[in-house]
């Protein structure tokens, strides 16, 4: 058994292993796969960007339409009307309470 181990450890056998020419690996398939991956990723990314851009433009268009419909003057008038209603209700309630207190003996 030690003879077998010595045979494996013989320096000449190591020299033989490393003296053989390296085999070239065919990288064309890997290169093709990388190119296909790059192409599909680029296409997917472009599509995502275009979809996002279209969605964003649609949102901006909707916001613009809403702003045109609801001008600042109409918002001010609507808000003023609501405040007037609230104040009227509060004043009526306050006056009713005052009248109740004054009418009680």
């Amino acid at each position: 058994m030690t003879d077998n181990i010595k045979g494996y450890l013989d320096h000449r056998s190591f020299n033989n292993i490393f003296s053989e020419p390296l085999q070239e690996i065919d990288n064309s398939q890997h290169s093709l796969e990388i190119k296909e991956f790059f192409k599909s990723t680029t296409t997917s990314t472009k599509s995502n960007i275009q979809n996002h851009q279209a969605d964003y433009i649609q949102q901006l268009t909707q916001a613009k339409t809403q702003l045109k419909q609801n001008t600042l003057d109409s918002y001010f008038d609507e808000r003023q009307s609501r405040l007037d209603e609230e104040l009227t209700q509060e004043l009526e309630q306050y006056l009713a309470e005052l009248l109740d207190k004054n009418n009680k003996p």
Side-chain angles (χ1 to χ4, degrees):
M1 183 161 179
T2 55
D3 291 335
N4 288 340
I5 294 173
K6 287 181 183 178
Y8 287 116
L9 296 177
D10 186 14
H11 294 293
R12 287 172 286 176
S13 64
F14 283 120
N15 289 338
N16 289 340
I17 292 172
F18 293 113
S19 64
E20 294 177 9
L22 293 176
Q23 295 178 351
E24 291 191 25
I25 299 172
D26 183 17
N27 287 330
S28 62
Q29 180 63 29
H30 298 295
S31 179
L32 182 62
E33 289 175 6
I34 290 171
K35 285 179 184 177
E36 287 298 318
F37 173 76
F38 180 74
K39 183 180 176 182
S40 68
T41 303
T42 303
T43 303
S44 175
T45 302
K46 284 181 182 179
S47 176
N48 289 341
I49 290 171
Q50 288 172 346
N51 290 339
H52 178 73
Q53 185 179 22
D55 289 343
Y56 187 69
I57 289 173
Q58 183 180 6
Q59 290 175 0
L60 287 176
T61 304
Q62 288 175 349
K64 183 179 174 182
T65 302
Q66 287 177 348
L67 286 173
K68 283 183 178 180
Q69 290 174 352
N70 299 326
T71 61
L72 191 56
D73 291 335
S74 66
Y75 172 79
F76 177 77
D77 292 341
E78 184 180 318
R79 183 73 176 138
Q80 185 68 37
S81 174
R82 279 189 270 145
L83 286 173
D84 287 345
E85 287 177 23
E86 288 176 17
L87 284 174
T88 302
Q89 288 175 357
E90 288 178 11
L91 282 173
E92 287 175 353
Q93 184 180 358
Y94 178 72
L95 289 174
E97 289 173 5
L98 275 177
L99 287 172
D100 272 350
K101 284 183 183 178
N102 287 334
N103 288 337
K104 287 186 181 177

